[in-house]
Amino acid sequence: MSTPARTLLVLRHSKSAYPEGVADIDRPLAPRGVRDAVTLGGWLLGQGLLPDLVVCSTAARTRQTWDLINDQLVWPDEDAMVVRYDPRVYDAALDDLMDIVRETPADAAILALVGHNPGAAQLVRILTGESGLRFPTSALAMIDIGQDWDRTVPGSGSLSGYRTPKGGSAILRD
């Protein structure tokens, strides 16, 4: 029996603002971040990358990033996509991010993880072995996972695409 195709989308939040007196978790997006998130949402739609599950940090800037991306997407069935806000993504410890991937329900084909650096870049690196990728704000890595989510281990993914707001995009899979 073959394992269905699984895709992990690792997204770093868009560019945030630094208002005086605002706690880190409450920082909003900067105007450039708003533009980049909207553009990224349109790009995801054009690629047909509609997540079944989104696990998002509890920080304001990640929630706002996902909301702006989601506003650009067109869902054949709005009930098919689930969003979960998980404080482990805000803390961005690599072990926690791996646990989140492993906890993904088996029926989810595409998981989007919306978070922060350094955790997002570390997750991409440990799953794919790709060590040279920059992971600026609004970066997106598409990782093909070759087994069930609960069996995901370091090195078990392959980078199938990568996108940054200034560097353009590359789809690596056929």
Side-chain angles (χ1 to χ4, degrees), residues 16-68:
S16 60
Y18 293 87
E20 188 174 322
V22 174
D24 182 74
I25 198 165
D26 296 324
R27 287 190 299 129
L29 292 181
R32 184 181 99 201
V34 170
R35 288 189 305 273
D36 288 347
V38 168
T39 300
L40 182 55
W43 187 85
L44 285 169
L45 178 64
Q47 298 300 313
L49 292 168
L50 302 175
D52 303 297
L53 173 62
V54 177
V55 181
C56 184
S57 162
T58 53
R61 60 192 177 275
T62 53
R63 295 170 67 103
Q64 191 178 5
T65 297
W66 175 250
D67 288 345
L68 290 164

Side-chain angles (χ1 to χ4, degrees), residues 123-139:
L123 182 63
V124 172
R125 186 171 36 256
I126 198 155
L127 287 174
T128 67
E130 297 283 341
S131 61
L133 290 180
R134 287 187 343 93
F135 220 74
T137 54
S138 296

